[in-house]
Amino acid sequence: MRPRIPDNPLAIVRNLGILAHVDAGKTTVTERMLYLAGATYKRGEVHDGTTVTDFDPLERDRGITIFAAAVSCAWDGHRVNLIDTPGHVDFSDEVERSLRVLDGAIAVFDAVAGVEPQSESVWRLADRYGVPRIAFVNKLDRAGADLDTAVESIRRRLHKAPLVVQLPIGQEDGFTGVVDLVRMRSLVWAGGACSAGPVPEDLLAQARRRRRLLEESVAELHAGALEEFCVRPSISDETLAGALRDLTRSGAGLVVLCGSAYRDRGIEPLLDAVVAYLPSPLDVPPVRGEDGAERAADPQAPLAALAFKVNATATGRLTYVRVYSGTLRKGDTVLVTGLDTGLDTGAGRTERVSRILRVQADRHTEVDLAVAGDIVAVVGLKSARPGATLCAPGAPLVLEPPSTAEPVVSVAVEARRSTDADRLASGLARLAEEDPSLAVRTDAETGQTLLSGMGELHLEVAVDKLRREHVMDVAVGRPQVAHRETVVRGVSGLLYRHVKQDGGAGQFAHVVLDVEPLEGALDGGGFEFASTVVGGRVPREYVRAVEAGCRDALADGPLGGHPVTGLRVTLTDGATHPKDSSDLAFRTAGRLALREALRAGVMELLEPVAEVTVTVPGDAAGAVLGDLAARHGRISGSSARAGTVVITAVVPLAEVFGYATRLRSRTQGRGTFTTRPAGYAPVR
């Protein structure tokens, strides 16, 4: 029997993302969901380049997801909006921008590899934004696949309570279906069709035992289930399903399903779980502005929407937005606020929405309006950047934008023909506009144009996009890592007096600083400023100016002009002049005083490092370990798994460049590796 459709249209909406490590099967899961829901007429395949969400030529050439793609489908009377996110570590910012606007997510895990490094990274991002998740253990048809091992890795590495609601029928090539432990029935796939039936006799005892374990696990976490568990022989199916829904939405438990997306097995119950367990826009807390104001998911409330993605093309800009409250209509005038507009927070700029598009990957359908809970693309906004807020002019609001990581790798780019210099500058600006994790700057010493990003592949994709879309020949230098400088031993009581008289009003500022190392510098810990001045010797407005000056001094350190991080500065004393003191004087004093303090202290050069996980055959492990040691890698773990050895090491990022070629030669093409950022470490 179909469930009754709720009266509120928002109750049937599900906004979710597909998250996973690269090659765990995210895009295939998305394709099968679209096909089974009737949104596509043919199954798309990653290896054939026929998927809906990986529509960009750069993605099809590489066989991986690079850009987050939004699609939607209908299932069981519900509208499911999906965002297929990248799995490669270089594109984590694309994942974070998507997670910021989602209500739920499906975390996909490989049944052989379990929780992989990037799985942990995207999991932490989802934790940061409080996104409820369910898990899908994919590729159960592979040799070496084991649901229990994968679930144990979830428990151990993600520190989550897994609630396994299915039992596989068959193993590896013999995997044909699952036992639904909530309804105690079997689901078997044959000839592309799913058929439900009783639990097979040979699995009945095991299914009952696992159902009992599921009930016990749920009762430990859910008060209502515990009450029924104590007075009845077992928890009813309805109570169990309701408890699983509550635990998923609160984040106290993780519902785990399994299947093989490539073989079309397990996708229908996954869609059922999305509808049953993940929240609608009504089930998540009201969105909160930076001033504390809340906006509920109500189409009648004032407009509040967040821009999370921009496509800047030669024919115009597409701004992807999530509408949290209110209604956005074609032709409306909206206020664009937030720091990402380039304006003061809350000041904003009014712009007109010329068109609203419902998005299906690279296909768009024009609509007249979008209401709370919708994810749409908007045409006509010129100032909106990822992270900007769209709100009603009469009810301004600034929503918290997704954070953007600092680039760690740079390459020099230049046009081979001097006549293309202006086109190159325009193309780079457009790339940075679309992707906030890319940065473009000019090196003050060499005059070169530097493009900075999150990794070698990130920059390679950006340059390829530049060449394809702008049809220009670009020369690219070798990748260079972004070094940092930090304080090893600081100074105390450094006195600096700034006095300047050149006719007219002068400048006078007297400051005394303590500079000391700050814990967390190796993990990207930045800068802290404090003031212990008493008696009003330095007025509060001048204290803020000293802090601003210190921040100015962090741009270039004494060792090599690299940014300085990991230090705490304390203003302990100072003096003012009744006429010549000013914000400018104290800002200048703060900048010059900190520079002098850094030169007087002991500094250390830091370089970005990466955690590298290498999977190699056992007979090649020795050669790989030796090569990692030669690259100044620090081995942190090694384990055997199904005839292979998994080695984990922390390696300087500069030594990872070109590692794929070296690994292939050391292992005769049988080795693979993944990386993820691991902060900074002293240069060896």
Side-chain angles (χ1 to χ4, degrees), residues 2-72:
R2 295 287 184 185
R4 185 180 69 86
I5 301 303
D7 296 332
N8 193 326
L10 291 180
I12 63 172
V13 175
R14 300 290 184 272
N15 292 317
L16 63 135
I18 313 291
L19 314 174
H21 187 88
V22 65
D23 204 34
K26 298 181 311 303
T27 301
T28 303
V29 169
T30 305
E31 290 296 321
R32 297 304 188 265
M33 293 173 76
L34 293 175
Y35 176 75
L36 290 170
T40 58
Y41 67 92
K42 182 181 179 182
R43 297 175 179 86
E45 302 293 353
V46 173
H47 55 271
D48 291 336
T50 57
T51 58
V52 173
T53 53
D54 288 353
F55 57 85
D56 192 280
L58 295 171
E59 296 176 307
R60 293 184 171 177
D61 286 351
R62 289 170 170 80
I64 61 171
T65 301
I66 296 173
F67 310 108
V71 291
S72 62

Side-chain angles (χ1 to χ4, degrees), residues 69-72 320 357-365 375-377:
V71 291
S72 62
Y320 291 78
L357 306 175
R358 186 81 64 191
V359 180
Q360 191 77 350
D362 58 339
R363 302 192 304 274
H364 308 122
T365 304
I375 295 177
V376 295

